[in-house]
Amino acid sequence: MANKLKIFEKLGLMEKKQPEDILEGSDLKKKDELEGEVQSSEVLSKDKVNSVLSSEESVKSLSSELKQDNKSQSMTKEPSKEEVEKKLDAMIESYEKNKLLSIEDIYKKASLVTDVKATVFMVDVYGKALPENLPLDIKRESVLNIMKASDIKIDDLLSDAYKRIDALNNVLESVVQTTEDLKEKNSASIRDLEKRIEELKRTVVEREKFQETQNTMIGYEIQRIINIVDFVKPK
């Protein structure tokens, strides 16, 4: 047991000692046995190290594969139902804001009744049914009498009128706001583009100045060389 503990010292777990120090007073046979055990332990230790290294490489390889798989999955991940619905709602809202609505579309969107008899427009129908040359007061009184005889309540028609005006105003306000937002956004983009255009113009001017300076320097040097050549060239 003591010999095995000393072998562990040679494996680096403790300070390494020579077999001669361990076997002080021992015969050659025991020394040989110890050296055999040491060699055997060293082989096992190398195998163990190789095994550990191999395991680490396997773990690294597996980790790399998992990261690659996760990356591929994230790239090909399909959007959730909520994300799709959110995008569709945004697209529909954008389309609706830029869609020209007819008056009928506005009333339909506001869930207002379409039956003329139940709307404020029935007053206009009755008024047009009367002779055009009737005085306004008489025409008005005649329409009210017809509505009373037809059991049509003026309050219901007025309520319908208020609802229609409110629906029309809502669309009008939305259109105005959308237009203002668009103008503000596009104006900001125009300012950025104008700034960029000015920067590009300055770059062109600076480059032209650079080219002019460079051409002057090179032209002067070429002429200088030509003058020297003309001076030394045999006539």
Side-chain angles (χ1 to χ4, degrees), residues 96-137:
E96 291 293 338
K97 285 183 177 180
N98 294 282
K99 176 184 176 183
L100 185 63
L101 297 176
S102 65
I103 299 301
E104 289 74 14
D105 291 334
I106 296 174
Y107 292 153
K108 184 177 180 181
K109 188 176 181 180
S111 301
L112 296 175
V113 295
T114 57
D115 186 6
V116 178
K117 294 180 180 179
T119 68
V120 69
F121 300 114
M122 196 61 195
V123 176
D124 191 44
V125 173
Y126 290 146
K128 289 180 178 179
L130 297 174
E132 294 184 2
N133 58 353
L134 283 177
L136 184 60
D137 291 340

Side-chain angles (χ1 to χ4, degrees), residues 68-158:
Q68 193 68 24
D69 291 342
N70 291 335
K71 185 177 180 181
S72 299
Q73 290 178 2
S74 62
M75 292 177 64
T76 58
K77 183 180 178 181
E78 294 183 357
S80 64
K81 181 180 178 181
E82 291 76 12
E83 292 174 340
V84 172
E85 291 179 349
K86 187 176 181 180
K87 289 181 179 179
L88 286 175
D89 290 340
M91 292 173 63
I92 293 173
E93 182 180 1
S94 176
Y95 171 77
E96 291 293 338
K97 285 183 177 180
N98 294 282
K99 176 184 176 183
L100 185 63
L101 297 176
S102 65
I103 299 301
E104 289 74 14
D105 291 334
I106 296 174
Y107 292 153
K108 184 177 180 181
K109 188 176 181 180
S111 301
L112 296 175
V113 295
T114 57
D115 186 6
V116 178
K117 294 180 180 179
T119 68
V120 69
F121 300 114
M122 196 61 195
V123 176
D124 191 44
V125 173
Y126 290 146
K128 289 180 178 179
L130 297 174
E132 294 184 2
N133 58 353
L134 283 177
L136 184 60
D137 291 340
I138 296 176
K139 182 179 289 189
R140 178 176 179 275
E141 189 67 25
S142 299
V143 169
L144 291 175
N145 290 333
I146 295 173
M147 290 174 56
K148 184 177 181 180
S150 301
D151 197 22
I152 298 176
K153 297 180 180 180
I154 186 64
D155 290 340
D156 292 340
L157 299 186
L158 293 177

Side-chain angles (χ1 to χ4, degrees), residues 174-190:
S174 176
V175 169
V176 171
Q177 185 61 49
T178 302
T179 302
E180 291 300 319
D181 293 342
L182 181 63
K183 288 168 61 178
E184 183 178 354
K185 180 180 178 181
N186 288 349
S187 296
S189 298
I190 290 171

